[in-house]
Amino acid sequence: MAPIPGSGLAKGLAVTLRTMTKKSVTAQYPDAQPDLPPRTRGVIGLFEENCTVCMLCARECPDWCIYIDSHKETVPAANPGGRERSRNVLDRFAIDFSLCMYCGICIEVCPFDALFWSPEFEYAETDIRELTHERDKLREWMWTVPAPPALDPGAEEPKELATARKTADKLAAQQAPPATEPHADEQARAAEQPTRPQGDSKQQTDQPKPGQEGSE
């Protein structure tokens, strides 16, 4: 049986009419921000307090897009007669995101948890040179990294959070004002308060009870 002329057009128009009456499921970006999973590979954040300048991330990067500069400083001996030690001090840590292919190898091989994935992806630039993020910019991305989910309700907190909290507490202790001494008037009042002799209680217990004086 031959198809009726124009039946295909009618079916197409019917699908169009049914679709027009349904609610749209398209997220109107950028008015509606997407709900990204916590492990989204957006941009890389640097927690430079954990970086020891081991250069492992730069050596393992297949694109050679990580640039690290450092210098050595001498640390005096902690104890008298001890030996001085040298440590690496980070001068520059930059990632060229125009070359990065977001493989995540640098994050996986970092032995001290200094690099993290951030779900932020809105960092497009009009100049390709602006896609090289220095360590200050990478440090800003660090604060957008979501907290890792706990594997067990009774498990210890992640060590990167413990390190960050310890650093924050140390800075707060250094910035806190010194404790003020008690006022001179309060010290004088405390000195004038009478104190009970220590031997009073013993003397009271040694006194003879009534009726026992004649028995002796």
Side-chain angles (χ1 to χ4, degrees), residues 40-47 57 61-63 65-66 93-97 99-108 110 113-121 123 131-145:
T40 300
R41 296 186 178 187
V43 71
I44 299 174
L46 170 66
F47 191 61
C57 57
C61 178
D63 291 335
C65 64
I66 301 177
F93 195 110
I95 299 178
D96 187 355
F97 285 101
L99 298 176
C100 178
M101 64 180 186
Y102 303 92
C103 63
I105 293 178
C106 57
I107 297 176
E108 297 296 332
C110 180
D113 292 332
L115 297 174
F116 297 89
W117 278 119
S118 168
E120 297 292 332
F121 61 92
Y123 54 94
L131 287 175
T132 301
H133 293 183
E134 299 291 337
R135 67 176 184 175
D136 294 337
K137 186 65 175 178
L138 297 176
R139 180 60 180 265
E140 295 178 5
W141 293 123
M142 184 62 204
W143 306 121
T144 63
V145 176

Side-chain angles (χ1 to χ4, degrees), residues 20 24-25 30 32-33 40 45 47 59 63 69 87-88 91 99-100 115 121 133 139-140 144 169 171 178 199 201 216:
M20 290 176 60
S24 176
V25 296
Q33 293 292 328
T40 300
F47 191 61
R59 291 198 300 266
D63 291 335
D69 294 331
R87 66 183 182 93
N88 292 325
D91 293 330
L99 298 176
C100 178
L115 297 174
F121 61 92
H133 293 183
R139 180 60 180 265
E140 295 178 5
T144 63
D169 294 342
L171 293 175
S201 59
E216 296 179 357

Side-chain angles (χ1 to χ4, degrees), residues 10-27:
K11 291 181 180 179
L13 291 176
V15 173
T16 302
L17 291 175
R18 287 198 304 268
T19 306
M20 290 176 60
T21 58
K22 293 182 180 179
K23 185 179 179 180
S24 176
V25 296
T26 302

Side-chain angles (χ1 to χ4, degrees), residues 121-208:
F121 61 92
E122 298 176 322
Y123 54 94
E125 301 289 348
T126 57
D127 189 351
I128 193 173
R129 292 172 294 184
E130 298 296 331
L131 287 175
T132 301
H133 293 183
E134 299 291 337
R135 67 176 184 175
D136 294 337
K137 186 65 175 178
L138 297 176
R139 180 60 180 265
E140 295 178 5
W141 293 123
M142 184 62 204
W143 306 121
T144 63
V145 176
L151 300 179
D152 187 355
E156 298 180 356
E157 66 175 355
K159 57 183 178 180
E160 58 268 18
L161 294 181
T163 303
R165 185 174 291 106
K166 183 178 180 181
T167 304
D169 294 342
K170 185 183 297 184
L171 293 175
Q174 294 176 355
Q175 297 175 359
T180 57
E181 297 182 356
H183 197 270
D185 297 340
E186 297 179 0
Q187 294 180 354
R189 285 196 297 269
E192 292 175 357
Q193 292 180 358
T195 56
R196 183 178 180 181
Q198 298 179 356
D200 288 354
S201 59
K202 184 177 181 180
Q203 292 175 3
Q204 292 177 0
T205 55
D206 293 341
Q207 291 179 359

